[in-house]
Amino acid sequence: MHFDLTEEQSLIAETARKLAADRLAPLAETLDHGGGREAFLENLKVLAENGFMGLNVRADYGGTEAGTLAFALSVEALGLACASTGVTVSVTNMVGEVIQAVGNEAQRAAYLPKLTDGTYAAGGFCLTEAGAGSDPAGMKTRAVKDGDSYILNGAKLYITSAEYAGVFVVWAVTDPAAPKGKGISCFLVEAGTPGLIIGKAEKKMGQTGSATNEVLFQDCRVPASALLGHENQGFRVAVGELAGGRIGIAALSLGIARAAMSAAKAYVKERQQFGAPLSDMQGIQWMIADRETELEAARLLILQAAWLKDQGRPFAREASMAKLFASEAAQKATYTALQLHGGAGYIKDYPLERYARDARITTIYEGTSEIQRLIIAREVLKGI
Ligand SMILES: Cc1cc2nc3c(=O)[nH]c(=O)nc-3n(C[C@H](O)[C@H](O)[C@H](O)COP(=O)(O)OP(=O)(O)OC[C@H]3O[C@@H](n4cnc5c(N)ncnc54)[C@H](O)[C@@H]3O)c2cc1C
């Protein structure tokens, strides 16, 4: 066992760090205050041009073909500078991987190059509905075959990047009589398709630079060729791809947490109380030691899950462990970092309160911590 990165992985991580520092970090506060959309979209384009929108997509479809480990390192580096950009990159990579995994040759050739070269600013992943969040198999959106088309009707909720995504992967019920989860299919729907309506933009606690919208389907007709994979077998696709996506959200959590702890470590060295830097006080040192240890453990879980996925081995249990541990560690790290800043941590002149707000969603989306525990327990108890 060794922990060295390959030359390619080191180079990708270094490029991500540089782009994050040069382009993402200076924009993060503006995005948090609701501005900067054009610069944000420009950054997505630059990230695509540098290979970050298809890190695990094959080179013949314009991808970087660098693997999941490179993906995780990249999302961590980008998330450290700007969580809104980090989540956009993570979800867009996941959309690309769905198309690569179950799309036919024509679908891959039509959509992957546009995702990887930035023609599409982002990809959208339409699974959640108002009545189907943790239990997405309970979805109600319908797709009805009509000649050589399917007609989609329903509403998806909380869809990341919906306002600027060029293509959406959409799950809908095609056989309502089938047992739960067995009658769901997956479709590719291009932005601008009549009947695909981008609804209300959600006002959020954090990650405000990333758009989150309702997506409505009102008699939205797509050609039969938009079916992704086999009819009625779409739910398995969602479950499989979410496992990969969780490695991205775990890495994003780690990035946000590291940003907060970096600020805190610098602050406690500088800030003096009782005639000494805060960093001289054992109580403060222990807080830092505990959080840093948790982040290191999170990193190892992330790298393990990514490595397993890259080896083509089962990784769902490890991806859930990584997502659970890293996102919960990020809550503690961002709150500890805020606490270590005292009153300044609560003031918007410092980024600490933003880090805490940005981290908060990571224990919720792409499966809550409770759902990760269900998955882990199911896997751990399997066969006993
Ligand atoms: C900013 C943001 C971006 C998002 N982006 C996307 C996206 O791009 N695409 C997409 O499809 N979805 C997206 N989502 C949706 C997200 O994945 C869901 O919100 C999440 O899965 C939880 O579903 P829910 O909100 O319906 O909560 P619920 O399922 O109603 O859960 C409420 C609470 O009950 C708990 N709970 C539920 N079931 C159980 C159980 N069996 N045992 C124990 N506890 C349980 C949950 O853990 C949670 O604490 C996004 C959400 C947000 C807020």
Side-chain angles (χ1 to χ4, degrees):
M1 183 187 294
H2 69 82
F3 293 91
D4 296 329
L5 301 178
T6 64
E7 208 175 307
E8 185 189 37
Q9 287 161 348
S10 300
L11 181 68
I12 289 171
E14 187 47 43
T15 309
R17 275 193 288 273
K18 186 157 178 12
L19 282 172
D22 292 351
R23 303 193 64 108
L24 273 50
L27 190 63
E29 192 183 340
T30 307
L31 287 176
D32 187 49
H33 294 164
R37 173 62 64 85
E38 258 182 48
F40 170 73
L41 294 175
E42 181 57 32
N43 280 347
L44 296 183
K45 179 92 185 146
V46 171
L47 286 166
E49 285 163 1
N50 281 273
F52 289 101
M53 290 305 196
L55 283 154
N56 211 9
V57 170
R58 276 169 33 193
D60 45 340
Y61 298 119
T64 307
E65 206 174 310
T68 312
L69 224 143
F71 162 70
L73 296 168
S74 302
V75 173
E76 179 189 340
L78 301 176
L80 191 149
C82 175
S84 294
T85 310
V87 71
T88 312
V89 169
S90 186
V91 173
T92 300
N93 272 273
M94 182 167 64
V95 169
E97 288 200 37
V98 179
I99 298 171
Q100 176 166 263
V102 291
N104 56 36
E105 189 50 40
Q107 290 166 330
R108 290 172 177 177
Y111 295 104
L112 288 176
K114 290 182 184 164
L115 274 175
T116 54
D117 74 5
T119 303
Y120 294 151
F125 191 91
C126 293
L127 185 66
T128 301
E129 299 182 3
S134 295
D135 181 20
M139 69 177 64
K140 296 279 182 260
T141 295
R142 284 280 277 126
V144 177
K145 190 103 192 259
D146 181 41
D148 213 14
S149 312
Y150 287 91
I151 300 174
L152 274 64
N153 276 290
K156 297 289 175 180
L157 194 64
Y158 304 151
I159 305 307
T160 299
S161 305
E163 287 175 12
Y164 34 81
V167 66
F168 297 85
V169 287
V170 182
W171 281 267
V173 176
T174 34
D175 182 0
K180 193 173 175 191
K182 303 281 187 204
I184 292 171
S185 303
C186 182
F187 296 91
L188 275 165
V189 186
E190 289 176 29
T193 303
L196 165 66
I197 297 154
I198 307 305
K200 179 168 73 85
E202 306 293 352
K203 296 193 178 75
K204 296 180 296 182
M205 174 180 182
Q207 300 192 7
T208 46
S210 142
T212 306
N213 296 68
E214 203 177 358
V215 175
L216 308 164
F217 297 91
Q218 294 178 357
D219 290 329
C220 178
R221 186 181 284 272
V222 295
S225 60
L227 178 71
L228 198 50
H230 300 291
E231 199 176 63
N232 299 325
Q233 291 182 25
F235 193 63
R236 263 205 330 232
V237 174
V239 170
E241 294 307 325
L242 276 171
R246 284 173 188 140
I247 298 174
I249 300 305
L252 175 68
S253 310
L254 179 60
I256 302 167
R258 279 191 49 220
M261 288 306 294
S262 293
K265 284 181 284 184
Y267 189 81
V268 297
K269 295 276 275 193
E270 171 96 25
R271 171 79 173 163
Q272 306 243 344
Q273 288 292 284
F274 301 98
L278 292 176
S279 60
D280 281 5
M281 293 154 194
Q282 195 182 51
I284 302 277
Q285 290 171 3
W286 285 23
M287 287 160 86
I288 290 175
D290 284 348
R291 297 296 88 82
E292 290 289 331
T293 304
E294 287 155 6
L295 296 188
E296 205 57 40
R299 168 175 292 108
L300 292 173
L301 283 170
I302 293 165
L303 295 181
Q304 173 183 241
W307 181 82
L308 286 169
K309 183 166 181 254
D310 282 341
Q311 301 305 308
R313 287 162 56 174
F315 68 95
R317 182 184 76 143
E318 288 77 8
S320 281
M321 286 177 167
K323 203 260 181 189
L324 171 64
F325 193 84
S327 63
E328 294 290 347
Q331 310 310 307
K332 287 201 254 175
T334 52
Y335 262 70
T336 297
L338 191 154
Q339 185 73 13
L340 288 171
H341 278 72
Y346 195 69
I347 301 297
K348 280 185 181 282
D349 290 348
Y350 295 80
L352 279 301
E353 57 83 35
R354 167 162 60 84
Y355 295 142
R357 286 185 289 104
D358 282 349
R360 189 62 194 87
I361 185 61
T362 60
T363 67
I364 297 172
Y365 59 18
E366 296 203 21
T368 64
S369 287
E370 292 70 39
I371 295 305
Q372 303 314 318
R373 289 185 177 98
L374 290 184
I375 296 168
I376 295 163
R378 193 178 58 215
E379 292 287 325
V380 167
L381 295 171
K382 204 157 63 181
I384 291 176

